Amino acid sequence: MNELTTKTAAELAAAVAGGEVSAAEVTAAHLARIEAVEGQVNAFLHVAADAAARASEIDARRAAGAPLGPLGGVPVAVKDLFATVGMPTTCGSRILEGWHPPYESTITRRLREAGAILIGKTNMDEFAMGSSTENSAYGPSHNPWDLSFVPGGSSGGSAAAVAAYEAPLALGTDTGGSIREPAAVCGIVGTKPTYGGSSRYGVVAFASSLDTPGPLARSVLDAALLHEAMSGHDPMDSTSIDAPVPPVVAAARQADVAGMRIGIVSEFSGEGYQPGVMTRFNEAVELLESLGAKVTEISCRHFKYAMPAYYLIAPSEVSSNLARFDGMRYGLRASASSAEETMSLSRDAGFGDEAKRRIVLGTYALSSGYYDAYYGKAQQVRTLIIRDFDAAFEQVDVLVSPSSPTTAFPIGERADDPIAMYLADLCTIPSNLAGNAAISVPCGLAPENGLPVGLHVMAPVLADDRLYRVGAAVEAAFESRWGHPLLTEAKGLSA
Amino acid sequence: MTVTYEEALQKYEPVFGLETHVELGTRTKMFCGCPTAFGAEPNTQVCPVCLGLPGSLPVVNQRAIEFAIRIGLALNCSIASWCRFARKNYFYPDMPKNFQISQYDEPLCTDGYLDVLTGGETVRVGIERVHLEEDTGKSLHVGGATGRIQGAEYSLVDYNRSGIPLVEIVTKPVPGTGYLAPEVARAYVTELRDVLRTLGVSDVRMEEGSMRCDVNTSIAARGSGAWGTRTETKNVNSLRSVERAVRSEISRQAGVLDAGERVVQETRHFHEDTGVTTSGRSKEEAQDYRYFPEPDLVPVAPADEWVSSIRASLPELPSARRARLISAWSLSELEFESLRNAGALDVVEATVAVGASPADARKWWLGELARKANDDGIEVSALPITPSDVARIAALVKAGTLNDRLAREVIDGVLWGEGTPDEVVEKRGLAVVSDDSALIAAVDEAIAAHPDVAEKVRGGKVAAAGALVGAVMKATRGQADAPRVRELILERLS
């Protein structure tokens, strides 16, 4: 493996800016790595044909003395639901196979402007619905820690790509945990920013009120760099917050938790939590205490209703958001004799089982006569969860829990058991319902199977910087204890 | 089976209501920056947002909110301090997202009224709500007999219209208008159109579809106090059709009830050519639109100060104008109505403003000019003659330079593009001849030609002079000053 692929984004950006290495060399190293391991990982659905050309442009800009931007020459893998000009966008679905968006998402446009090299589009559960990438129409991605295990999902391709050193950074989206859970089970860092902190314009919608684009990276500082570059107000997204981006990069450099008040969510333990996950989580909490944080236990008693509420709200929005995929204007079109039949057959052929399951669920939940009992009630639960967070954040600065109740599971194990699959997001869903910020950082390997465990940190709306303070402090302390980054222990890849 | 309208009204009492869709005249669409201009090449005024492309998001056009608030205020509605858009979900190829962004249980404007004048009476029509939504694309079904999607060989969709801001103005049910129901319905749409035009929020062209009506009608036995089952008639796209649709539905429903059957709650289609309605889809098998709050938009919360400033900027509304003009011009309500129905209010007022008397202005615009417009099948205001021209012609008549017949010739000249009234008078040599030296020869000629008549006048039968005046007018091709001719005849025969 070329050592350029093991560098952090911060190191690469500095090296390119300083002329120690060219963007072309950085890109070539990552393209070579992709070439070498994709057969095992299947993280990418599409590799950018123009990556080398874009890298040369960066080098030309540097040669001309022009500023490169904070991510100048750094490759970024992009989850395949960001609209990108020049690359297809499939959302992991057969129904969008071959669709080339005629417009660019705000975030990928900002990253291009920041000098990033968009190196390819990553695999995902169809329309971001799933926790394993097994719901992709293009086959599952594989966990670099053990190729027979899932990389989590729905941003599993992005997490696997970063964990396999195919890219130092990746974009994901998090609707119920789709950045944090794959980051946790792949042993990397993933952040769900505050809802509205990162633009959704050009991000194909799963559940509009929950979808949050965010960064995946191998270090907390790298995640902060991408977080900062992608964020900020976007007039094209009505739900985008018109406020300054929280100082996430500064917080990641600060890496200090002395005096911080940290609350352990008492609901997120017990039955269903893998012992090794709890072992590593408890160690992380002890570590935080040793670094000067004040740790207390906090009960958020409505969090147990978060999952059922989520599985009414998200499918309801899905049933409406996915209605546009009807074969009429773009994407897969089944041949039939009437418009209605064309729509019906196109959708039948184009959507996978999980997409269909959620469309049916959501259609039912919004139906006349059921709306109040399902969608309406779920929105009330959502309000109660927000109040739980508000009360908790009066007492503590951040809340912590495991990122997921278990480590990665074998491919196929939960494929036929949707409920078991849904449980992977048990701890992450409340932050989506409340719209606040959360991160997953590696906190060791579960003793029973040697797979990574994530520490989940939740912060109030627009207090994303706190995540990076805690995350960077934990990362520094653990790496000093382990003597190396956790990911260097990943031995799943033969290359 | 269908009974006559008169028979129906003897037994039944109608109730009607109207849902009117109006395209707002904003420069750009409801949720994106695409232009709204009518008549462009199909699918040239589109973008990812109004095409509903995956990942695109709507952003509310503030101007459309302002226009809707203007409408709500003009219709005496309460303006919500906080409301949301909702998604109306159903599948149709001209809806790019397969849902329409509309408003459901939280409309922007509620509970108002509009006073309408018909047959000299004022009827207050309650306004249930005014809400905002986006228009759909426009389908063209090719190859079928009916122009409907059923039976078509293929369909074309133009998304230029997709996302154009619409307001839907829904009345409360209007009971108690009896025989006049169809006229009141028409008068309501007329008044509403005038209000919207006055507000400058829409071009309200029913023929271009920028204003479209659905008419709800029900009937119940007289004196029963009950309301019957209503039908919703779609595709009612002219003022005349509104009246005909209500009339036709009343007759049809009376026929159904008389036959001992029950009226089916359904959507019906109005046919301009035959003036009757036919059954569309039944409401009982109607779709469930699965409304829910639009998660891609934030709530609309117009600040009190903003609403107040919009209220302060409202122009004079038709009802206020009506009161003012009736008083200033000493009109009856019927006279006012005929002026309004002729579409001549603006031009008459403008003509008065440049100096004509209200009576003269009305006389010319409702008389000669209305006839010309009618001949050409255009609005009187669209004639190529200005209020200043008309005022000038009225002034020339008043000064005796023109008589009515010559004035009509001047109007012809102006309409033919021969210039201003004064230029036409000049070019056509139309001024009244009142110069005695020019007239005396013609008078003497007439006397010589009609010695018997002249004798009668000499004998004291002054009334007989009329025939001599007529002869002079004929000889001068109408240009002689008739009163002066008469004086000269009497002088010479005394």
PDB file of all heavy atoms in Angstrom, chain A residues 103 200 202-203 208 235 238 320-321 323-324 326 329 363 367-368 371, chain B residues 52 54-56 58 87 89 91 93 96 98-99 159 288 293 296:
ATOM      1  N   TYR A 103     -27.549  18.431 -12.526  1.00  0.00           N
ATOM      2  CA  TYR A 103     -27.186  19.509 -11.606  1.00  0.00           C
ATOM      3  C   TYR A 103     -26.377  18.937 -10.449  1.00  0.00           C
ATOM      4  O   TYR A 103     -26.331  17.719 -10.256  1.00  0.00           O
ATOM      5  CB  TYR A 103     -28.434  20.240 -11.107  1.00  0.00           C
ATOM      6  CG  TYR A 103     -29.207  19.514 -10.028  1.00  0.00           C
ATOM      7  CD1 TYR A 103     -29.209  19.969  -8.715  1.00  0.00           C
ATOM      8  CD2 TYR A 103     -29.922  18.351 -10.319  1.00  0.00           C
ATOM      9  CE1 TYR A 103     -29.917  19.304  -7.727  1.00  0.00           C
ATOM     10  CE2 TYR A 103     -30.622  17.675  -9.342  1.00  0.00           C
ATOM     11  CZ  TYR A 103     -30.620  18.155  -8.045  1.00  0.00           C
ATOM     12  OH  TYR A 103     -31.305  17.491  -7.055  1.00  0.00           O
ATOM     13  N   ARG A 200     -29.202  19.995   2.231  1.00  0.00           N
ATOM     14  CA  ARG A 200     -29.775  18.805   1.594  1.00  0.00           C
ATOM     15  C   ARG A 200     -30.029  19.022   0.111  1.00  0.00           C
ATOM     16  O   ARG A 200     -30.532  18.125  -0.569  1.00  0.00           O
ATOM     17  CB  ARG A 200     -31.095  18.425   2.287  1.00  0.00           C
ATOM     18  CG  ARG A 200     -30.919  17.926   3.707  1.00  0.00           C
ATOM     19  CD  ARG A 200     -32.236  17.437   4.317  1.00  0.00           C
ATOM     20  NE  ARG A 200     -33.216  18.504   4.408  1.00  0.00           N
ATOM     21  CZ  ARG A 200     -34.366  18.535   3.740  1.00  0.00           C
ATOM     22  NH1 ARG A 200     -34.709  17.548   2.937  1.00  0.00           N
ATOM     23  NH2 ARG A 200     -35.199  19.549   3.876  1.00  0.00           N
ATOM     24  N   GLY A 202     -29.807  18.745  -3.510  1.00  0.00           N
ATOM     25  CA  GLY A 202     -29.091  17.802  -4.351  1.00  0.00           C
ATOM     26  C   GLY A 202     -28.782  16.486  -3.676  1.00  0.00           C
ATOM     27  O   GLY A 202     -28.081  15.651  -4.238  1.00  0.00           O
ATOM     28  N   VAL A 203     -29.289  16.298  -2.479  1.00  0.00           N
ATOM     29  CA  VAL A 203     -29.144  15.020  -1.784  1.00  0.00           C
ATOM     30  C   VAL A 203     -30.490  14.306  -1.917  1.00  0.00           C
ATOM     31  O   VAL A 203     -31.500  14.795  -1.404  1.00  0.00           O
ATOM     32  CB  VAL A 203     -28.798  15.229  -0.292  1.00  0.00           C
ATOM     33  CG1 VAL A 203     -28.646  13.876   0.407  1.00  0.00           C
ATOM     34  CG2 VAL A 203     -27.521  16.056  -0.157  1.00  0.00           C
ATOM     35  N   SER A 208     -37.153  13.555   4.644  1.00  0.00           N
ATOM     36  CA  SER A 208     -36.708  14.947   4.580  1.00  0.00           C
ATOM     37  C   SER A 208     -36.482  15.604   5.943  1.00  0.00           C
ATOM     38  O   SER A 208     -35.585  16.423   6.090  1.00  0.00           O
ATOM     39  CB  SER A 208     -37.750  15.775   3.817  1.00  0.00           C
ATOM     40  OG  SER A 208     -38.061  15.160   2.603  1.00  0.00           O
ATOM     41  N   PRO A 235     -29.255  28.913   0.655  1.00  0.00           N
ATOM     42  CA  PRO A 235     -30.598  29.437   0.346  1.00  0.00           C
ATOM     43  C   PRO A 235     -31.449  28.485  -0.498  1.00  0.00           C
ATOM     44  O   PRO A 235     -32.654  28.681  -0.601  1.00  0.00           O
ATOM     45  CB  PRO A 235     -30.305  30.738  -0.417  1.00  0.00           C
ATOM     46  CG  PRO A 235     -28.872  30.688  -0.790  1.00  0.00           C
ATOM     47  CD  PRO A 235     -28.178  29.760   0.150  1.00  0.00           C
ATOM     48  N   SER A 238     -34.624  25.261   2.276  1.00  0.00           N
ATOM     49  CA  SER A 238     -35.401  26.075   3.218  1.00  0.00           C
ATOM     50  C   SER A 238     -35.142  25.696   4.673  1.00  0.00           C
ATOM     51  O   SER A 238     -35.345  26.500   5.568  1.00  0.00           O
ATOM     52  CB  SER A 238     -36.898  25.911   2.957  1.00  0.00           C
ATOM     53  OG  SER A 238     -37.196  26.182   1.616  1.00  0.00           O
ATOM     54  N   SER A 320     -43.896   9.384   0.254  1.00  0.00           N
ATOM     55  CA  SER A 320     -44.120  10.568  -0.567  1.00  0.00           C
ATOM     56  C   SER A 320     -42.870  10.910  -1.388  1.00  0.00           C
ATOM     57  O   SER A 320     -42.950  11.166  -2.592  1.00  0.00           O
ATOM     58  CB  SER A 320     -44.503  11.725   0.356  1.00  0.00           C
ATOM     59  OG  SER A 320     -44.697  12.907  -0.356  1.00  0.00           O
ATOM     60  N   ASN A 321     -41.695  10.876  -0.738  1.00  0.00           N
ATOM     61  CA  ASN A 321     -40.459  11.246  -1.442  1.00  0.00           C
ATOM     62  C   ASN A 321     -40.138  10.320  -2.605  1.00  0.00           C
ATOM     63  O   ASN A 321     -39.582  10.750  -3.611  1.00  0.00           O
ATOM     64  CB  ASN A 321     -39.274  11.238  -0.465  1.00  0.00           C
ATOM     65  CG  ASN A 321     -39.232  12.485   0.408  1.00  0.00           C
ATOM     66  OD1 ASN A 321     -39.732  13.536   0.019  1.00  0.00           O
ATOM     67  ND2 ASN A 321     -38.654  12.369   1.591  1.00  0.00           N
ATOM     68  N   ALA A 323     -42.273   8.776  -4.426  1.00  0.00           N
ATOM     69  CA  ALA A 323     -43.370   8.694  -5.397  1.00  0.00           C
ATOM     70  C   ALA A 323     -42.926   9.146  -6.783  1.00  0.00           C
ATOM     71  O   ALA A 323     -43.442   8.677  -7.795  1.00  0.00           O
ATOM     72  CB  ALA A 323     -44.560   9.533  -4.923  1.00  0.00           C
ATOM     73  N   ARG A 324     -41.928  10.032  -6.828  1.00  0.00           N
ATOM     74  CA  ARG A 324     -41.528  10.600  -8.123  1.00  0.00           C
ATOM     75  C   ARG A 324     -40.850   9.579  -9.026  1.00  0.00           C
ATOM     76  O   ARG A 324     -40.704   9.813 -10.218  1.00  0.00           O
ATOM     77  CB  ARG A 324     -40.631  11.814  -7.912  1.00  0.00           C
ATOM     78  CG  ARG A 324     -39.236  11.486  -7.443  1.00  0.00           C
ATOM     79  CD  ARG A 324     -38.495  12.736  -6.982  1.00  0.00           C
ATOM     80  NE  ARG A 324     -39.103  13.273  -5.771  1.00  0.00           N
ATOM     81  CZ  ARG A 324     -38.898  14.506  -5.309  1.00  0.00           C
ATOM     82  NH1 ARG A 324     -38.119  15.335  -5.960  1.00  0.00           N
ATOM     83  NH2 ARG A 324     -39.469  14.913  -4.191  1.00  0.00           N
ATOM     84  N   ASP A 326     -41.232   7.012 -11.094  1.00  0.00           N
ATOM     85  CA  ASP A 326     -42.374   6.357 -11.720  1.00  0.00           C
ATOM     86  C   ASP A 326     -42.101   5.969 -13.172  1.00  0.00           C
ATOM     87  O   ASP A 326     -43.004   5.574 -13.890  1.00  0.00           O
ATOM     88  CB  ASP A 326     -43.616   7.270 -11.632  1.00  0.00           C
ATOM     89  CG  ASP A 326     -43.399   8.613 -12.345  1.00  0.00           C
ATOM     90  OD1 ASP A 326     -42.337   8.783 -13.001  1.00  0.00           O
ATOM     91  OD2 ASP A 326     -44.285   9.472 -12.243  1.00  0.00           O
ATOM     92  N   ARG A 329     -40.070  10.153 -16.312  1.00  0.00           N
ATOM     93  CA  ARG A 329     -39.142  11.203 -16.732  1.00  0.00           C
ATOM     94  C   ARG A 329     -37.678  10.767 -16.753  1.00  0.00           C
ATOM     95  O   ARG A 329     -36.874  11.315 -17.499  1.00  0.00           O
ATOM     96  CB  ARG A 329     -39.288  12.430 -15.823  1.00  0.00           C
ATOM     97  CG  ARG A 329     -40.570  13.198 -16.025  1.00  0.00           C
ATOM     98  CD  ARG A 329     -40.890  14.050 -14.820  1.00  0.00           C
ATOM     99  NE  ARG A 329     -41.114  13.184 -13.661  1.00  0.00           N
ATOM    100  CZ  ARG A 329     -42.307  12.695 -13.328  1.00  0.00           C
ATOM    101  NH1 ARG A 329     -43.362  13.008 -14.017  1.00  0.00           N
ATOM    102  NH2 ARG A 329     -42.416  11.876 -12.303  1.00  0.00           N
ATOM    103  N   THR A 363     -47.370   4.617   3.481  1.00  0.00           N
ATOM    104  CA  THR A 363     -48.651   4.892   2.832  1.00  0.00           C
ATOM    105  C   THR A 363     -49.786   4.587   3.805  1.00  0.00           C
ATOM    106  O   THR A 363     -50.749   5.343   3.942  1.00  0.00           O
ATOM    107  CB  THR A 363     -48.782   4.026   1.560  1.00  0.00           C
ATOM    108  OG1 THR A 363     -47.688   4.331   0.698  1.00  0.00           O
ATOM    109  CG2 THR A 363     -50.094   4.302   0.843  1.00  0.00           C
ATOM    110  N   SER A 367     -52.592   7.233   5.834  1.00  0.00           N
ATOM    111  CA  SER A 367     -53.939   7.104   5.275  1.00  0.00           C
ATOM    112  C   SER A 367     -54.978   7.773   6.152  1.00  0.00           C
ATOM    113  O   SER A 367     -54.852   7.815   7.375  1.00  0.00           O
ATOM    114  CB  SER A 367     -54.296   5.621   5.120  1.00  0.00           C
ATOM    115  OG  SER A 367     -53.439   5.029   4.195  1.00  0.00           O
ATOM    116  N   SER A 368     -55.992   8.250   5.466  1.00  0.00           N
ATOM    117  CA  SER A 368     -57.117   8.875   6.140  1.00  0.00           C
ATOM    118  C   SER A 368     -57.697   7.901   7.160  1.00  0.00           C
ATOM    119  O   SER A 368     -57.935   6.735   6.852  1.00  0.00           O
ATOM    120  CB  SER A 368     -58.133   9.248   5.070  1.00  0.00           C
ATOM    121  OG  SER A 368     -59.372   9.474   5.646  1.00  0.00           O
ATOM    122  N   TYR A 371     -54.011   8.486  10.209  1.00  0.00           N
ATOM    123  CA  TYR A 371     -53.004   9.541  10.343  1.00  0.00           C
ATOM    124  C   TYR A 371     -52.775   9.925  11.807  1.00  0.00           C
ATOM    125  O   TYR A 371     -51.653   9.952  12.296  1.00  0.00           O
ATOM    126  CB  TYR A 371     -53.451  10.756   9.522  1.00  0.00           C
ATOM    127  CG  TYR A 371     -52.517  11.928   9.578  1.00  0.00           C
ATOM    128  CD1 TYR A 371     -51.508  12.071   8.628  1.00  0.00           C
ATOM    129  CD2 TYR A 371     -52.632  12.898  10.576  1.00  0.00           C
ATOM    130  CE1 TYR A 371     -50.649  13.146   8.669  1.00  0.00           C
ATOM    131  CE2 TYR A 371     -51.766  13.979  10.623  1.00  0.00           C
ATOM    132  CZ  TYR A 371     -50.782  14.099   9.669  1.00  0.00           C
ATOM    133  OH  TYR A 371     -49.932  15.172   9.728  1.00  0.00           O
TER     134      TYR A 371
ATOM    135  N   GLY B  52     -39.027  18.450 -10.321  1.00  0.00           N
ATOM    136  CA  GLY B  52     -39.058  17.480  -9.236  1.00  0.00           C
ATOM    137  C   GLY B  52     -37.921  16.473  -9.311  1.00  0.00           C
ATOM    138  O   GLY B  52     -38.064  15.329  -8.901  1.00  0.00           O
ATOM    139  N   PRO B  54     -34.730  14.229  -8.480  1.00  0.00           N
ATOM    140  CA  PRO B  54     -34.284  13.710  -7.189  1.00  0.00           C
ATOM    141  C   PRO B  54     -33.286  14.668  -6.548  1.00  0.00           C
ATOM    142  O   PRO B  54     -32.354  15.133  -7.208  1.00  0.00           O
ATOM    143  CB  PRO B  54     -33.603  12.379  -7.570  1.00  0.00           C
ATOM    144  CG  PRO B  54     -34.265  11.964  -8.845  1.00  0.00           C
ATOM    145  CD  PRO B  54     -34.582  13.241  -9.575  1.00  0.00           C
ATOM    146  N   GLY B  55     -33.481  14.960  -5.282  1.00  0.00           N
ATOM    147  CA  GLY B  55     -32.556  15.819  -4.539  1.00  0.00           C
ATOM    148  C   GLY B  55     -32.902  17.285  -4.563  1.00  0.00           C
ATOM    149  O   GLY B  55     -32.377  18.060  -3.768  1.00  0.00           O
ATOM    150  N   SER B  56     -33.792  17.697  -5.479  1.00  0.00           N
ATOM    151  CA  SER B  56     -34.123  19.126  -5.530  1.00  0.00           C
ATOM    152  C   SER B  56     -35.061  19.480  -4.383  1.00  0.00           C
ATOM    153  O   SER B  56     -35.760  18.620  -3.853  1.00  0.00           O
ATOM    154  CB  SER B  56     -34.774  19.471  -6.868  1.00  0.00           C
ATOM    155  OG  SER B  56     -36.025  18.833  -6.982  1.00  0.00           O
ATOM    156  N   PRO B  58     -37.762  22.679  -2.642  1.00  0.00           N
ATOM    157  CA  PRO B  58     -38.524  23.909  -2.888  1.00  0.00           C
ATOM    158  C   PRO B  58     -38.113  25.037  -1.943  1.00  0.00           C
ATOM    159  O   PRO B  58     -37.726  24.779  -0.801  1.00  0.00           O
ATOM    160  CB  PRO B  58     -39.966  23.479  -2.578  1.00  0.00           C
ATOM    161  CG  PRO B  58     -39.807  22.434  -1.507  1.00  0.00           C
ATOM    162  CD  PRO B  58     -38.496  21.725  -1.795  1.00  0.00           C
ATOM    163  N   ARG B  87     -48.261  18.264   1.721  1.00  0.00           N
ATOM    164  CA  ARG B  87     -48.157  17.508   0.476  1.00  0.00           C
ATOM    165  C   ARG B  87     -49.465  16.783   0.207  1.00  0.00           C
ATOM    166  O   ARG B  87     -50.005  16.124   1.089  1.00  0.00           O
ATOM    167  CB  ARG B  87     -47.039  16.472   0.572  1.00  0.00           C
ATOM    168  CG  ARG B  87     -45.659  17.086   0.585  1.00  0.00           C
ATOM    169  CD  ARG B  87     -44.628  15.983   0.460  1.00  0.00           C
ATOM    170  NE  ARG B  87     -43.273  16.495   0.573  1.00  0.00           N
ATOM    171  CZ  ARG B  87     -42.201  15.713   0.591  1.00  0.00           C
ATOM    172  NH1 ARG B  87     -42.342  14.389   0.518  1.00  0.00           N
ATOM    173  NH2 ARG B  87     -41.002  16.235   0.686  1.00  0.00           N
ATOM    174  N   ASN B  89     -50.728  13.899  -1.973  1.00  0.00           N
ATOM    175  CA  ASN B  89     -50.088  12.794  -2.682  1.00  0.00           C
ATOM    176  C   ASN B  89     -51.043  12.090  -3.639  1.00  0.00           C
ATOM    177  O   ASN B  89     -52.088  11.588  -3.218  1.00  0.00           O
ATOM    178  CB  ASN B  89     -49.582  11.755  -1.674  1.00  0.00           C
ATOM    179  CG  ASN B  89     -48.473  12.305  -0.788  1.00  0.00           C
ATOM    180  OD1 ASN B  89     -47.337  12.451  -1.224  1.00  0.00           O
ATOM    181  ND2 ASN B  89     -48.802  12.629   0.446  1.00  0.00           N
ATOM    182  N   PHE B  91     -50.750  10.062  -7.864  1.00  0.00           N
ATOM    183  CA  PHE B  91     -49.900   9.796  -9.022  1.00  0.00           C
ATOM    184  C   PHE B  91     -50.551  10.335 -10.289  1.00  0.00           C
ATOM    185  O   PHE B  91     -51.696  10.006 -10.593  1.00  0.00           O
ATOM    186  CB  PHE B  91     -49.667   8.287  -9.187  1.00  0.00           C
ATOM    187  CG  PHE B  91     -48.661   7.736  -8.212  1.00  0.00           C
ATOM    188  CD1 PHE B  91     -49.042   7.339  -6.937  1.00  0.00           C
ATOM    189  CD2 PHE B  91     -47.330   7.638  -8.567  1.00  0.00           C
ATOM    190  CE1 PHE B  91     -48.106   6.840  -6.038  1.00  0.00           C
ATOM    191  CE2 PHE B  91     -46.383   7.144  -7.677  1.00  0.00           C
ATOM    192  CZ  PHE B  91     -46.779   6.745  -6.407  1.00  0.00           C
ATOM    193  N   PRO B  93     -48.912  11.738 -14.370  1.00  0.00           N
ATOM    194  CA  PRO B  93     -47.666  12.080 -15.062  1.00  0.00           C
ATOM    195  C   PRO B  93     -47.373  13.577 -15.159  1.00  0.00           C
ATOM    196  O   PRO B  93     -46.218  13.961 -15.314  1.00  0.00           O
ATOM    197  CB  PRO B  93     -47.850  11.485 -16.455  1.00  0.00           C
ATOM    198  CG  PRO B  93     -48.832  10.382 -16.264  1.00  0.00           C
ATOM    199  CD  PRO B  93     -49.759  10.846 -15.167  1.00  0.00           C
ATOM    200  N   PRO B  96     -44.670  16.273 -11.426  1.00  0.00           N
ATOM    201  CA  PRO B  96     -43.328  15.692 -11.474  1.00  0.00           C
ATOM    202  C   PRO B  96     -42.904  14.980 -10.176  1.00  0.00           C
ATOM    203  O   PRO B  96     -42.089  14.082 -10.228  1.00  0.00           O
ATOM    204  CB  PRO B  96     -42.418  16.881 -11.770  1.00  0.00           C
ATOM    205  CG  PRO B  96     -43.249  18.098 -11.618  1.00  0.00           C
ATOM    206  CD  PRO B  96     -44.686  17.713 -11.704  1.00  0.00           C
ATOM    207  N   ASN B  98     -45.161  13.576  -8.126  1.00  0.00           N
ATOM    208  CA  ASN B  98     -46.309  12.767  -7.727  1.00  0.00           C
ATOM    209  C   ASN B  98     -46.866  13.182  -6.375  1.00  0.00           C
ATOM    210  O   ASN B  98     -47.514  12.409  -5.679  1.00  0.00           O
ATOM    211  CB  ASN B  98     -46.014  11.270  -7.811  1.00  0.00           C
ATOM    212  CG  ASN B  98     -46.038  10.787  -9.257  1.00  0.00           C
ATOM    213  OD1 ASN B  98     -46.870  11.230 -10.052  1.00  0.00           O
ATOM    214  ND2 ASN B  98     -45.117   9.915  -9.624  1.00  0.00           N
ATOM    215  N   PHE B  99     -46.560  14.390  -5.988  1.00  0.00           N
ATOM    216  CA  PHE B  99     -47.338  15.054  -4.952  1.00  0.00           C
ATOM    217  C   PHE B  99     -47.341  16.531  -5.294  1.00  0.00           C
ATOM    218  O   PHE B  99     -46.441  17.014  -5.994  1.00  0.00           O
ATOM    219  CB  PHE B  99     -46.813  14.803  -3.535  1.00  0.00           C
ATOM    220  CG  PHE B  99     -45.413  15.282  -3.254  1.00  0.00           C
ATOM    221  CD1 PHE B  99     -45.135  16.631  -3.006  1.00  0.00           C
ATOM    222  CD2 PHE B  99     -44.355  14.390  -3.223  1.00  0.00           C
ATOM    223  CE1 PHE B  99     -43.849  17.065  -2.738  1.00  0.00           C
ATOM    224  CE2 PHE B  99     -43.057  14.817  -2.953  1.00  0.00           C
ATOM    225  CZ  PHE B  99     -42.808  16.148  -2.710  1.00  0.00           C
ATOM    226  N   TYR B 159     -44.019  20.938 -18.793  1.00  0.00           N
ATOM    227  CA  TYR B 159     -43.821  21.308 -17.386  1.00  0.00           C
ATOM    228  C   TYR B 159     -43.589  22.811 -17.186  1.00  0.00           C
ATOM    229  O   TYR B 159     -43.254  23.224 -16.095  1.00  0.00           O
ATOM    230  CB  TYR B 159     -42.668  20.494 -16.777  1.00  0.00           C
ATOM    231  CG  TYR B 159     -42.994  19.015 -16.658  1.00  0.00           C
ATOM    232  CD1 TYR B 159     -42.441  18.086 -17.525  1.00  0.00           C
ATOM    233  CD2 TYR B 159     -43.880  18.558 -15.677  1.00  0.00           C
ATOM    234  CE1 TYR B 159     -42.745  16.732 -17.424  1.00  0.00           C
ATOM    235  CE2 TYR B 159     -44.191  17.207 -15.576  1.00  0.00           C
ATOM    236  CZ  TYR B 159     -43.615  16.308 -16.451  1.00  0.00           C
ATOM    237  OH  TYR B 159     -43.926  14.971 -16.348  1.00  0.00           O
ATOM    238  N   ASP B 288     -57.370   8.869  -1.582  1.00  0.00           N
ATOM    239  CA  ASP B 288     -56.955   9.365  -0.279  1.00  0.00           C
ATOM    240  C   ASP B 288     -55.634  10.095  -0.525  1.00  0.00           C
ATOM    241  O   ASP B 288     -54.648   9.478  -0.898  1.00  0.00           O
ATOM    242  CB  ASP B 288     -56.768   8.169   0.662  1.00  0.00           C
ATOM    243  CG  ASP B 288     -56.294   8.588   2.037  1.00  0.00           C
ATOM    244  OD1 ASP B 288     -55.963   9.777   2.231  1.00  0.00           O
ATOM    245  OD2 ASP B 288     -56.251   7.711   2.915  1.00  0.00           O
ATOM    246  N   PRO B 293     -47.737  17.502   6.617  1.00  0.00           N
ATOM    247  CA  PRO B 293     -46.997  18.767   6.498  1.00  0.00           C
ATOM    248  C   PRO B 293     -45.743  18.594   5.648  1.00  0.00           C
ATOM    249  O   PRO B 293     -45.004  17.623   5.819  1.00  0.00           O
ATOM    250  CB  PRO B 293     -46.631  19.099   7.944  1.00  0.00           C
ATOM    251  CG  PRO B 293     -47.626  18.354   8.776  1.00  0.00           C
ATOM    252  CD  PRO B 293     -47.927  17.095   8.013  1.00  0.00           C
ATOM    253  N   ASP B 296     -40.021  19.668   3.642  1.00  0.00           N
ATOM    254  CA  ASP B 296     -38.943  20.405   2.984  1.00  0.00           C
ATOM    255  C   ASP B 296     -39.095  21.915   3.136  1.00  0.00           C
ATOM    256  O   ASP B 296     -38.232  22.669   2.683  1.00  0.00           O
ATOM    257  CB  ASP B 296     -38.879  20.056   1.491  1.00  0.00           C
ATOM    258  CG  ASP B 296     -38.253  18.684   1.262  1.00  0.00           C
ATOM    259  OD1 ASP B 296     -37.390  18.296   2.076  1.00  0.00           O
ATOM    260  OD2 ASP B 296     -38.620  18.011   0.282  1.00  0.00           O
TER     261      ASP B 296
END
